[in-house]
Amino acid sequence: MDRRKIDVVLSTFLIIISVIILTNDNLAEGGAESDLGIMFLPRVVAGFMMIFAATIAFQSFSKLSKGAELEGPELVITNGYSGIFIYIGIFVAYWLAVPHLGFMVTTPFIMLGVAVLLGGRNWIPLIAMSVITPVLIYYGSREFLRVYLPTWTL
Protein backbone atom coordinates (compact mmCIF):
# COMPACT_ATOMS: atom_id res chain seq x y z
CA MET A 1 0.00 0.00 0.00
CA ASP A 2 1.40 3.42 -0.95
CA ARG A 3 1.85 5.61 2.11
CA ARG A 4 1.92 8.77 -0.01
CA LYS A 5 -1.69 8.27 -1.09
CA ILE A 6 -2.74 7.56 2.50
CA ASP A 7 -0.98 10.75 3.65
CA VAL A 8 -2.76 12.88 1.04
CA VAL A 9 -6.18 11.46 1.91
CA LEU A 10 -5.74 11.75 5.69
CA SER A 11 -4.25 15.23 5.40
CA THR A 12 -7.19 16.36 3.28
CA PHE A 13 -9.59 14.95 5.90
CA LEU A 14 -7.73 16.75 8.71
CA ILE A 15 -7.75 20.04 6.79
CA ILE A 16 -11.53 19.76 6.26
CA ILE A 17 -12.06 19.07 9.98
CA SER A 18 -9.80 22.03 10.85
CA VAL A 19 -11.79 24.35 8.59
CA ILE A 20 -15.01 23.23 10.29
CA ILE A 21 -13.51 23.93 13.73
CA LEU A 22 -12.18 27.32 12.63
CA THR A 23 -15.44 28.51 11.07
CA ASN A 24 -18.15 27.09 13.33
CA ASP A 25 -18.96 29.08 16.48
CA ASN A 26 -21.51 26.57 17.80
CA LEU A 27 -19.14 23.68 18.54
CA ALA A 28 -18.78 24.39 22.27
CA GLU A 29 -21.39 25.29 24.81
CA GLY A 30 -20.78 26.01 28.46
CA GLY A 31 -17.35 25.43 29.91
CA ALA A 32 -15.02 27.91 31.51
CA GLU A 33 -15.31 31.22 29.71
CA SER A 34 -12.12 33.24 29.37
CA ASP A 35 -11.20 36.63 27.92
CA LEU A 36 -10.13 34.88 24.72
CA GLY A 37 -13.41 33.03 24.26
CA ILE A 38 -14.42 29.42 24.65
CA MET A 39 -13.25 28.41 21.16
CA PHE A 40 -9.74 29.93 21.45
CA LEU A 41 -7.86 26.74 22.34
CA PRO A 42 -9.72 24.50 19.87
CA ARG A 43 -9.06 27.02 17.11
CA VAL A 44 -5.35 27.22 17.94
CA VAL A 45 -5.13 23.42 17.84
CA ALA A 46 -7.10 23.35 14.57
CA GLY A 47 -4.74 25.91 13.08
CA PHE A 48 -1.71 23.81 13.97
CA MET A 49 -3.48 20.71 12.66
CA MET A 50 -4.09 22.46 9.37
CA ILE A 51 -0.48 23.62 9.04
CA PHE A 52 1.00 20.21 9.84
CA ALA A 53 -1.49 18.33 7.65
CA ALA A 54 -0.81 20.69 4.76
CA THR A 55 2.94 20.16 4.99
CA ILE A 56 2.51 16.38 5.02
CA ALA A 57 0.06 16.52 2.10
CA PHE A 58 2.32 18.85 0.09
CA GLN A 59 5.36 16.60 0.50
CA SER A 60 3.43 13.44 -0.37
CA PHE A 61 1.61 15.06 -3.28
CA SER A 62 4.81 16.45 -4.75
CA LYS A 63 6.43 12.99 -4.65
CA LEU A 64 3.30 11.47 -6.21
CA SER A 65 3.22 14.04 -9.01
CA LYS A 66 6.90 13.52 -9.81
CA GLY A 67 6.39 9.75 -9.91
CA ALA A 68 9.33 9.14 -7.56
CA GLU A 69 10.09 5.55 -6.58
CA LEU A 70 8.82 4.34 -3.23
CA GLU A 71 11.36 4.29 -0.43
CA GLY A 72 11.38 1.74 2.41
CA PRO A 73 9.20 3.56 4.98
CA GLU A 74 6.77 4.74 2.28
CA LEU A 75 5.57 1.21 1.58
CA VAL A 76 3.06 0.04 4.18
CA ILE A 77 3.15 -3.70 4.72
CA THR A 78 -0.40 -4.83 5.44
CA ASN A 79 0.16 -8.32 6.83
CA GLY A 80 0.14 -8.84 10.59
CA TYR A 81 -2.67 -6.69 11.99
CA SER A 82 -2.60 -8.30 15.44
CA GLY A 83 -0.69 -5.34 16.93
CA ILE A 84 -3.36 -2.94 15.69
CA PHE A 85 -6.14 -4.97 17.30
CA ILE A 86 -4.19 -5.16 20.58
CA TYR A 87 -3.67 -1.38 20.40
CA ILE A 88 -7.40 -0.79 19.86
CA GLY A 89 -8.16 -3.20 22.73
CA ILE A 90 -5.85 -1.26 25.05
CA PHE A 91 -7.64 1.99 24.29
CA VAL A 92 -11.10 0.46 24.67
CA ALA A 93 -10.01 -0.84 28.09
CA TYR A 94 -8.69 2.66 28.91
CA TRP A 95 -11.96 4.27 27.83
CA LEU A 96 -13.92 1.88 30.05
CA ALA A 97 -11.56 2.12 33.05
CA VAL A 98 -10.98 5.89 33.32
CA PRO A 99 -14.44 6.79 34.68
CA HIS A 100 -14.07 4.23 37.49
CA LEU A 101 -10.34 4.16 38.28
CA GLY A 102 -9.51 7.74 37.34
CA PHE A 103 -7.01 9.37 35.03
CA MET A 104 -4.02 9.16 37.39
CA VAL A 105 -4.40 5.43 38.00
CA THR A 106 -5.14 4.16 34.49
CA THR A 107 -3.01 6.43 32.29
CA PRO A 108 0.43 5.23 33.47
CA PHE A 109 -0.54 1.60 32.86
CA ILE A 110 -1.92 2.36 29.40
CA MET A 111 1.14 4.41 28.44
CA LEU A 112 3.40 1.59 29.60
CA GLY A 113 1.35 -0.99 27.68
CA VAL A 114 1.45 1.02 24.46
CA ALA A 115 5.19 1.64 24.84
CA VAL A 116 5.84 -2.08 25.25
CA LEU A 117 3.57 -2.83 22.28
CA LEU A 118 5.55 -0.38 20.14
CA GLY A 119 8.81 -2.09 21.08
CA GLY A 120 10.10 -0.15 24.07
CA ARG A 121 12.45 -2.23 26.19
CA ASN A 122 14.34 0.26 28.35
CA TRP A 123 12.24 -0.02 31.50
CA ILE A 124 13.52 2.88 33.60
CA PRO A 125 12.66 5.63 31.04
CA LEU A 126 9.40 3.86 30.13
CA ILE A 127 8.20 3.78 33.73
CA ALA A 128 9.44 7.30 34.43
CA MET A 129 7.64 8.79 31.42
CA SER A 130 4.52 6.73 32.12
CA VAL A 131 4.32 8.31 35.59
CA ILE A 132 5.64 11.83 34.96
CA THR A 133 3.54 12.59 31.86
CA PRO A 134 0.10 11.91 33.44
CA VAL A 135 1.09 13.91 36.53
CA LEU A 136 2.06 16.90 34.38
CA ILE A 137 -1.10 16.60 32.27
CA TYR A 138 -3.30 16.31 35.37
CA TYR A 139 -1.66 19.30 37.05
CA GLY A 140 -1.66 21.40 33.87
CA SER A 141 -5.28 20.70 33.05
CA ARG A 142 -6.40 21.42 36.61
CA GLU A 143 -4.32 24.55 37.24
CA PHE A 144 -4.11 26.19 33.82
CA LEU A 145 -7.18 25.01 31.91
CA ARG A 146 -9.42 24.49 34.96
CA VAL A 147 -10.46 21.11 33.55
CA TYR A 148 -10.85 18.41 36.18
CA LEU A 149 -9.96 14.96 34.89
CA PRO A 150 -11.74 11.88 36.29
CA THR A 151 -10.64 10.64 39.70
CA TRP A 152 -11.01 7.36 41.53
CA THR A 153 -14.70 6.54 42.21
CA LEU A 154 -14.56 3.01 43.60
Side-chain angles (χ1 to χ4, degrees):
M1 188 178 301
D2 190 353
R3 182 175 176 176
R4 297 173 189 166
K5 294 177 184 175
I6 295 171
D7 286 346
V8 170
V9 170
L10 288 178
S11 296
T12 304
F13 176 73
L14 287 174
I15 290 171
I16 291 169
I17 295 298
S18 298
V19 168
I20 291 171
I21 292 171
L22 289 171
T23 58
N24 194 346
D25 289 332
N26 299 323
L27 290 177
E29 293 181 19
E33 187 68 36
S34 70
D35 294 336
L36 300 172
I38 198 166
M39 286 297 293
F40 175 72
L41 186 60
R43 286 188 173 140
V44 168
V45 171
F48 281 122
M49 253 175 38
M50 184 181 292
I51 291 168
F52 295 139
T55 58
I56 291 171
F58 179 74
Q59 290 173 359
S60 296
F61 190 70
S62 66
K63 287 182 181 179
L64 277 173
S65 64
K66 290 178 185 176
E69 290 293 321
L70 289 174
E71 298 172 10
E74 292 178 334
L75 183 64
V76 178
I77 300 170
T78 58
N79 55 359
Y81 279 117
S82 62
I84 295 171
F85 293 122
I86 293 170
Y87 189 71
I88 291 170
I90 287 173
F91 280 105
V92 168
Y94 180 67
W95 178 54
L96 295 173
V98 166
H100 303 291
L101 299 177
F103 178 82
M104 289 297 295
V105 174
T106 55
T107 304
F109 291 110
I110 296 303
M111 287 182 67
L112 189 61
V114 169
V116 169
L117 180 66
L118 293 175
R121 298 290 179 251
N122 199 349
W123 289 101
I124 294 172
L126 285 179
I127 292 171
M129 289 308 296
S130 295
V131 172
I132 292 170
T133 303
V135 169
L136 292 176
I137 291 171
Y138 188 81
Y139 176 77
S141 67
R142 187 185 69 203
E143 296 299 321
F144 300 118
L145 299 176
R146 286 180 263 144
V147 173
Y148 295 94
L149 298 172
T151 56
W152 183 280
T153 61
L154 294 178

